[in-house]
Amino acid sequence: MLEKLVEWGKQEDAVRALILLGSRAGQQTVDAFSDYDLSVFCDADASYTGSESWLTQFGNVLVCVKEKVVCKGKTYPSRLVIFEEGVKVDFSFLSIDVLDEITQNSSLSDDYLLGYKILLDKDHRTSGMVPPQYELEAIKPSEQEFHEVVKEFWFEIYHVGVYLKRGDLWSVKFRSWAAHSFLLRMLEWHAQAENDWHSSVPPIGKRMYSWVNEELWNDLHGIFAHFDADDSWKAIFNTMELFRRITVETAQSLRFNTMEDLSGNMISFINTLKSSPL
């Protein structure tokens, strides 16, 4: 696919440069289903966004989703395409002036810092680009930000418990995922604290097995339930205990208030809720 993309760029006069971002431009291991995140620098994107017919030269299209990306404060069109064999290419159509801003800036945005590969540069605009660092610096949360995540988690857990008590299993799944999103944030901070805040971790839990400790990884297997009430009760208690533990450990490393009263009160409430009549 990479060869096809480069050859296409060479043949298109409007396309002046192609830069590959994402996992295929970084240092982590990739597989056959890793995306091709392609920035297409041109000033004639209507040629490619007005129709999808040009995509067939790369393969049979299973689905093409029209999206937008924001770069340097402006919005640009993108096309997220899955081809017949499962190969996914994300095309972002950026203007030439964006390329000039990127190449002339002394600091790179996060997506470029994590790695980039220049596939095509017809006008030699990228010669002075800052090299990638392949990792991001970890940023410590403020105590207010930390406490907001703690409060949001327990707010969602309350709703998980109430919906579970009602037997409303779909809503349980919906609110559980909201709670898990705040659990993920705490897991990220916990892992970064264990690493003395030297580097960040991948987004949305990617490769989590590589950056949480073994005990946590094993505990995570107990927080996702079947579409079943009994299993959901087990999962909610496992989730609460896991969040409580890593909150205390992370807060202590940051010298923040651990908010153990809130955790204890909410766990007590869910225990009472489970055993009491509706």
Side-chain angles (χ1 to χ4, degrees):
M1 176 58 75
L2 199 59
E3 292 79 6
K4 290 182 179 179
L5 293 169
V6 173
E7 188 58 33
W8 166 77
K10 289 178 179 178
Q11 294 177 7
E12 294 292 313
D13 288 339
V15 175
R16 307 314 301 169
L18 298 174
I19 298 182
L20 187 69
L21 301 174
S23 58
R24 288 187 179 274
Q27 294 183 325
Q28 64 267 34
T29 302
V30 298
D31 55 40
F33 298 102
S34 297
D35 296 356
Y36 292 87
D37 296 308
L38 190 68
S39 293
V40 180
F41 294 94
C42 65
D43 283 323
D45 57 70
S47 304
Y48 315 113
T49 57
S51 169
E52 299 174 10
S53 60
W54 63 278
L55 292 168
T56 58
Q57 63 191 295
F58 305 113
N60 294 327
V61 176
L62 286 179
V63 61
C64 174
V65 176
K66 297 180 179 180
E67 278 290 352
K68 295 180 180 180
V69 295
V70 177
C71 186
K72 303 296 181 182
K74 296 181 181 179
T75 301
Y76 298 92
S78 67
R79 295 295 180 266
L80 315 182
V81 188
I82 300 174
F83 294 95
E84 192 171 48
E85 295 182 354
V87 177
K88 180 171 176 279
V89 183
D90 295 347
F91 297 88
S92 297
F93 298 96
L94 307 173
S95 61
I96 303 300
D97 64 306
V98 170
L99 178 60
D100 290 337
E101 288 185 57
I102 292 171
T103 57
Q104 294 168 14
N105 202 319
S106 60
S107 61
L108 295 174
S109 59
D110 288 354
D111 49 355
Y112 281 83
L113 278 175
L114 288 171
Y116 66 84
K117 291 181 180 178
I118 299 168
L119 303 182
L120 182 66
D121 181 8
K122 294 177 180 177
D123 306 311
H124 310 290
R125 294 174 181 265
T126 62
S127 58
M129 280 187 70
V130 177
Q133 296 179 4
Y134 298 109
E135 65 178 20
L136 300 179
E137 181 182 351
I139 300 175
K140 293 182 181 181
S142 67
E143 189 162 10
Q144 180 181 354
E145 181 184 4
F146 184 89
H147 288 163
E148 284 301 317
V149 167
V150 175
K151 289 188 285 186
E152 290 279 11
F153 171 83
W154 291 113
F155 180 82
E156 294 299 338
I157 284 293
Y158 163 85
H159 289 90
V160 174
V162 169
Y163 281 123
L164 187 49
K165 186 66 178 181
R166 293 170 177 164
D168 195 349
L169 293 178
W170 187 275
S171 297
V172 168
K173 289 294 185 185
F174 182 83
R175 299 306 287 231
S176 291
W177 185 246
H180 286 155
S181 69
F182 296 110
L183 171 61
L184 173 60
R185 195 72 189 97
M186 191 61 68
L187 286 165
E188 293 169 344
W189 287 334
H190 185 270
Q192 291 168 162
E194 285 195 325
N195 193 35
D196 201 24
W197 302 94
H198 287 312
S199 60
S200 186
V201 297
I204 63 171
K206 287 184 178 180
R207 303 184 299 281
M208 186 182 285
Y209 51 81
S210 70
W211 52 263
V212 298
N213 63 49
E214 184 176 359
E215 180 185 8
L216 271 178
W217 180 249
N218 291 332
D219 288 341
L220 287 168
H221 288 69
I223 69 169
F224 296 98
H226 295 292
F227 198 65
D228 169 86
D230 288 340
D231 205 39
S232 296
W233 280 116
K234 292 176 184 176
I236 189 176
F237 284 109
N238 289 339
T239 302
M240 291 191 297
E241 178 54 33
L242 176 60
F243 186 84
R244 183 204 62 78
R245 189 175 83 243
I246 66 172
T247 296
V248 169
E249 292 173 358
T250 309
Q252 288 175 341
S253 73
L254 291 165
R255 299 183 179 181
F256 291 167
N257 184 316
T258 61
M259 299 186 76
E260 288 185 88
D261 287 347
L262 173 58
S263 301
N265 289 338
M266 289 302 299
I267 291 172
S268 177
F269 169 77
I270 298 297
N271 268 299
T272 302
L273 179 69
K274 183 177 185 295
S275 59
S276 62
L278 183 63

